Amino acid sequence: MRHGLILWRENELSLADVKARQVRLQQAIAAAGLDGVLIYTNHVRSAGVTWVSGFTPYWSDGLVLVLREGLPIFLTALSKRVGEWVKSVAPTFEVAHSPFPGKLAGERLAQVGAKRLGVVELDRMPGGVVDEILSVLPVELSDATELFTAVRGQADRAELDLVRHTDNIAREAFKAGDINGKYAGDFTGPVERAARLAGAEECYVAVAPDLSKDRRFIRTGRQELGRTFAVRLSIAYNGVWVRRIETFSAVSEIAARLSSVSAELDRASPALAADGSISAFYLPNGAKLIDWHLEAPHGTRPLKIVADAQTPLAAPVPYGILTTAVILDGETIVASRPVGLGDMSAREAAE
Amino acid sequence: MIGEIRKKRLIDAMQEAGLDGLVLYGNAWQNDYLRYAADFGILEGEGLAVVTRDGEVTLYLDDELEGERAAVECPEVKTVVVGDLIGTVSGVIARLGNSRIAAGPKRHLPYGLAAQRGDLRFEDATALVDRLLMVKSADELNAVRSAARLADEGYAVFRNAAAVGKKDYELIAEIESFFRNEGVDDNFMIIGVGGPEVRGMAPPLGKILKPGDLVTTELTPCVNGYYVQICRTLVIGEPNEAQRKVFGIYNDALEAGLAVVKPGVTAADIARAENDIFRAHGLGEYVTSEYTRVRGHGLGLFPDTKPHILEDVNTVIEEGMSLIVHPNTYNPEIGYFVHGDSLIVRADGPEILTTTPRELFSVGARRAAA
C-alpha cells in the first residue's frame, strides 16, 4: 500500500496542469472516434490515472472514465468516507461510489449514448469489471493503450520538475546510509526513513549485497554487505516515480572512486535524451559497459523497461530512468539516474 | 518450507475437486492467491501462477526486475519473465487442452485471459483457494505468530515516536524504517490524528500532533507473507474524561467480541457481540456502514481477508483461522477510535496473539519532537 504523505499540492501540480492533460486525452478520444476511455488503477497499476488526475489510491482499486467532454469520473468501491479523502487529495474529477464500479461505468456510458469505449490495457482489465460494464451496456470495447501512450509520451513541465524533486529526495536519502554497516538493513533502514521524512509517498528499497558475487537486487535487511554493494531506491512523490541506484564500498579507495563516478553521472544524466540510446552516456575512463536498460512510465505502470541493448524504444516517453552496469578497475558499478530532463523549452520547440 | 506445505495443500484440494490445472493471479495489492502457490511477494507489475495437478508450479511475471528478485528469493519456483503476460499464459493454458482448469480470484482475473480461453471457460477457483487461505496449517499459524511479535514491537516504536510537534508522516517513517531493519516485507498502515472532526483513518495528511489529539493507527506487518494487525489509540497528553469513558466502551466491545470466538460460531455472532455493547450505550448508529466498515476480518496472506466480521456475514468460524477483532468506529464525542487484537482460533477459543496492553495510551504533552 502507499503509506507516505499524499497531498494535493497546487504549487507542484496545478489544476491547470491536470486539466491540460485531460483536454489532450479528450482530443485524442474524439480523433479516434471513441466515446470515452477507461483507465484502471490500484496502487501498483497507478500511473495512468495518476497522470490524468493527480490521484493515486493508497489501497483498493478504481476506474477513471474520461468521456469526450466534461470532468473525468473516478468510479470506486471505496466508501463515501474514503471518498472525502479522495476529493481532498485530487480535486480533478468527480467521485462516484458503487460496490460495482464497472456497472456504474456502464450506466454513465449509457447516459451519453456511448457505443465505443477504449480501455487502456484492455487485456489486463480485471475481468469482473468488464463483465459489470457489459451487463449494463453492450458497448464495443477496444484497446486504447497505444492512444494513451501517444498522449502520455509528451512531457510537461510540472512532471519533469517533480522528477527532479523526487530524484533530489533519493539523492539526499542515500546520505543517511551507513556504508560501514554489517547488514543490508543497517544501510537501507536509515535511507528509507530519510526518504519518508522528506515526504516520499512511497519507497521501495532493494539491495545487491555483494556485487563481487551477484548484481541482482533483492529485498532483504538481513544479508551481510560485501566489499561493494548497490542499493536501489524507488521513490514516489506526488505521483511521480524515480529510481536511483548507487554503488557503495566501505573501502575508502574504492568509495572515493564510486563517489566521483556518482557525481559525474549526476552532472551528465539529466540532459541525456530518454530516447533509448546510450551513445551520449557518461562512461568513466577505462570502464566497460556490461548492461543497460531504460525505464519509463507506460500505461498503468509507473516504471517499466521500455528499451535495452536488444530492444529499441517503441514510442516516445515523457522521461526515463537509465540503469547501467559497468566494470571499472575490476569492480562492478551499478547506477540509475533520471534522463530526459533537459531544458523544457527546447523540448517544447522540438515537439 | 512453508511454500512446499502450501503447495501440497493446494494440489490435494485440486485433486479432490477434480481439477487438472489452476491459474492464480496476483499483484502487490491482491497477492494472496499468487503467493499461496508460488511463495513470491510481488511488488511491481503483475504475475500469474500456473499449477498443474502433478504439482508443477510456474510463476509468470511481466517485470524483469521482479523476475530477477524472484529467482534469488524463491529459487525453488520456476519463474518466467514475459513481455506479453496474457498471451504467454493463454498459450500455456491452451496446450493443456480440453481439461478442467480453474482460475482466481474471479474478480481480478485479467479480461484477456478469459477472453482467449473463449468457450472453454475457466471454472471459478475462488471458493477453493479462499478456504485454504482462511483455515491455515500449523506451520502457517506459526508464521502468523512470528508476525504478531513484530506488530507489538512496531506499536512500541510508534508510541515512542509520538510527540507534540511531530508530523503524522514522520511517525510512519520511524515505523517503516524499523520494519525494514527487521525484515518485514510489507505493512498495511493508516492513521488518524485529531478530535471529533476525524471520521476515519487514511494515509498521513501532514498533520502536526498537538496536546489533546487522539492518534489512531492500524499496524499490519507482514512477515514471510503473513500479516498480523494491531489497532490502538493514544492521546497526546492526559486523556480527558470523555476519552476515558469512550475507551471503556470500545474495550468492553473488544472483549465481548473476543469472548464469543470459538469454532462453530459465525462471523455475525462476533460482530453482534461487539455491536451490542455500543447499542447498550445508545451508540447503535455508529456501528452502521455510514461510520464503520467491518468489526474485524481475517488475516493471513492478505491483510484484510475473509471472513469479514459483520452482522450479515454467516461464515462459520473454524479452528485454524486467524482473525482480528476490532470494534473501530467513529464516536461523536471524541472522534474516530480504534482498538483491536489479532488471534488464532483454537478448539477451546481464541489464542490472542498481540500482547500490547489494552489501554488508552498517553504520551506526555511535554514530550516534544526532536
Side-chain angles (χ1 to χ4, degrees), chain A residues 1 3 5 42 45 58 60-61 81 123-128 185 189 192-193 216-217 219 222 243 301, chain B residues 29 44 46 62-63 68 73 107 109 111-112 174 177 180-182 185 187-189 199 203-204 206:
Chain A
M1 69 166 299
H3 312 84
L5 187 60
N42 59 36
R45 294 181 52 196
Y58 70 88
S60 194
D61 63 353
R81 285 186 304 128
D123 266 8
R124 305 289 185 101
M125 183 62 82
E192 175 157 357
R193 180 176 177 275
R216 292 177 294 182
F217 286 83
R219 277 163 63 81
R222 300 282 170 80
R243 273 196 233 285
R301 291 281 303 278
Chain B
W29 170 42
E44 298 186 54
E46 297 174 286
D62 64 355
D63 185 286
E68 189 178 280
E73 292 182 4
R107 185 179 181 277
L109 203 67
Y111 167 73
E174 301 296 343
S177 172
R180 286 307 92 72
N181 279 335
E182 294 293 324
D185 307 339
N187 171 35
F188 177 89
M189 180 176 186
R199 299 217 156 210

Side-chain angles (χ1 to χ4, degrees), chain A residues 1-7 40 42-45 58-61 81 85 88-89 101 122-132 141 185-186 189-190 192-193 196-197 199 204 214-219 221-222 232 234 243 293 295 301 303 305, chain B residues 27-29 43-46 62-65 68-69 71-73 83 85-86 106-112 116 169-170 172-174 176-177 180-183 185-190 199-206 290-293 302-303 336:
Chain A
M1 69 166 299
R2 295 283 172 96
H3 312 84
L5 187 60
I6 301 180
L7 291 175
Y40 176 79
N42 59 36
H43 75 274
V44 194
R45 294 181 52 196
Y58 70 88
W59 186 246
S60 194
D61 63 353
R81 285 186 304 128
W85 171 80
S88 75
V89 298
L122 175 60
D123 266 8
R124 305 289 185 101
M125 183 62 82
V129 169
V130 177
D131 291 346
E132 285 169 24
L141 301 177
D186 297 336
E192 175 157 357
R193 180 176 177 275
R196 290 182 180 278
L197 287 176
Y204 300 151
D214 198 337
R215 58 184 166 86
R216 292 177 294 182
F217 286 83
I218 53 174
R219 277 163 63 81
R222 300 282 170 80
R232 182 174 72 209
S234 309
R243 273 196 233 285
H293 63 253
E295 293 178 273
R301 291 281 303 278
L303 289 173
I305 294 179
Chain B
N27 60 39
W29 170 42
L43 200 60
E44 298 186 54
E46 297 174 286
D62 64 355
D63 185 286
E64 288 89 337
L65 304 184
E68 189 178 280
R69 191 164 65 82
V72 182
E73 292 182 4
L85 181 68
I86 306 302
K106 187 167 192 274
R107 185 179 181 277
H108 297 283
L109 203 67
Y111 167 73
Q116 293 198 34
Y169 66 87
E170 293 174 344
I172 308 255
E174 301 296 343
E176 292 299 322
S177 172
R180 286 307 92 72
N181 279 335
E182 294 293 324
D185 307 339
D186 187 22
N187 171 35
F188 177 89
M189 180 176 186
I190 42 183
R199 299 217 156 210
M201 294 186 289
L205 297 163
E290 191 173 340
Y291 294 97
T292 184
R293 192 177 64 88
F302 187 64
Y336 199 77

